[in-house]
Amino acid sequence: MRHIAIIGSGPAGYYTAEAALKKYGDDVTIDIIDRMPFPFGLIRTGVAPDHQSIKAVARRFEQTALGNNVHFAGNVSVGNDVSIAELQELYDAVILATGAPNDRPLEVEGSDLPGVVGSAAFVGWYNGHPDHRDLELPVDAKSVAIIGNGNVALDVARILAKTANEFSGSDIVGHAFDNLTNSNVEKITLLGRRGPHQIAMTPKELGELGQLERAQPLVDAGDFPDESEDALLEPGMRKSITHLRDFLARAEELSDKPVKIYFDFFAMPVAIEGNGKVEKLIVEKTNLDKDMRSLGTGERYELDCSMVISCIGYRTPPIEGVPYEHGRGRFANDEGRILPGLYCVGWARRGPTGTIGTNKPDGFAIIEAVADDIGSGANKEGRKGLDRLLKKRGVEAVSFRDWKKIEEAEIANARDGAPREKFTDVAEMIAARQS
Ligand code: NAP
């Protein structure tokens, strides 16, 4: 029998568990440990609340979670309640699937002003993550600047722009729904330090921006290369650019929509200014060098805004005793191997890129590496030892069965048209599992 501990219950964690079950059948026990009392990580707290079809992958993970040899231990913080060294004593393999929940810092002057938030915090706030439920936001902002040209920036712009009607069927949490649908927002500016051909936005998500009830996406024709150059792009990118060109073509048709979403390309934020709070963003125009890197031109402009949301990527938080690559914000690893018996997978291994599905081959590959390394296992104690440690320390682990009770309560609490109303407080979740 082999005993495997997976730290983190997001897509990387569950695809890895699925791979281990496929590889070993009944000859393995898998404990999935999570700091939160709920499973599925970014499926719950990262994927946009109006993208319910993407969240449906949780049903697949649930099949794995309900497998005989799979155990969920939520509400257990590795590094605090139990150390990596202790887990390594108990398990043949410890696999870190901890994702990248911290914002990559926006290193410009003024980024500590109230009103500047990172996307991890902002997305966590509207998705009901307990760490971010109390985020202070200038909710009366008329003008919001969003830094970054990736899918997270798009999610944030769309969520800021939607009407109450457009949130129907979503599981946006009550506090965010109330705030956003009563907001004063009139102008949302997406700032990309490079050009339309360098965006990291996918076509489906970009297309949605052109279908909003009250918002119009606006691009500047002068930022685009000649249309003939679109043919050189790979097909996905070409579709994305087609959407951007479509926004240009439909400018007149969409002009009566009151909320404007501007794409400011070749625009690099250099400072944030304001008297005790954000009042403006100072932006430098850029050119691209021969390697497509952005270079400041010295030409600057000011963007009046009361909120700045930086969507420029994420970092994996370090864990004591685990080698870490500071420059890239992830664990130091060789194809997922960190130290003997210690592995990483998903964003904790390769950084915050790719879709949910990218984690599947990742999970299967790491289990092959584990299999090569651990053979038939080394008579470790596994779950029994973990349970004993947690009991001794008074840690109340949440099982998958407990989670299903919490979920039932969330479904029962849903407002009309919503699939659930999430608890945003850990103590409330713990209480709900006992009801
Ligand atoms: P991302 O795709 O890496 O985009 C980050 C953006 O931030 C890029 O435009 C980058 O510009 C810009 N940036 C980085 N540092 C900057 C700086 N210092 N100043 C200004 N701009 C800066 O990251 P993401 O949007 O956080 O998404 C993470 C991953 O999740 C991606 O793989 C994404 O596709 C995925 N995701 C998917 C969906 C979906 O499928 N619906 C939704 C959300 C997220 P440069 O290109 O110039 O570096």
Side-chain angles (χ1 to χ4, degrees), residues 388-403:
R388 196 180 50 245
L389 257 187
L390 295 178
K391 197 163 172 207
K392 196 167 97 189
R393 291 178 187 164
V395 179
E396 273 195 84
V398 169
S399 68
F400 203 79
R401 192 183 292 250
D402 291 335
W403 153 246

Side-chain angles (χ1 to χ4, degrees), residues 37-38 44 398-413 421 423 426 428-435:
F38 51 80
R44 176 176 166 106
V398 169
S399 68
F400 203 79
R401 192 183 292 250
D402 291 335
W403 153 246
K404 291 305 285 179
K405 282 200 184 148
I406 298 169
E407 188 185 39
E408 257 174 48
E410 291 189 339
I411 292 169
N413 292 344
E421 182 62 51
F423 291 109
V426 169
E428 280 175 10
M429 292 183 211
I430 304 284
R433 81 180 168 150
Q434 281 145 354
S435 58

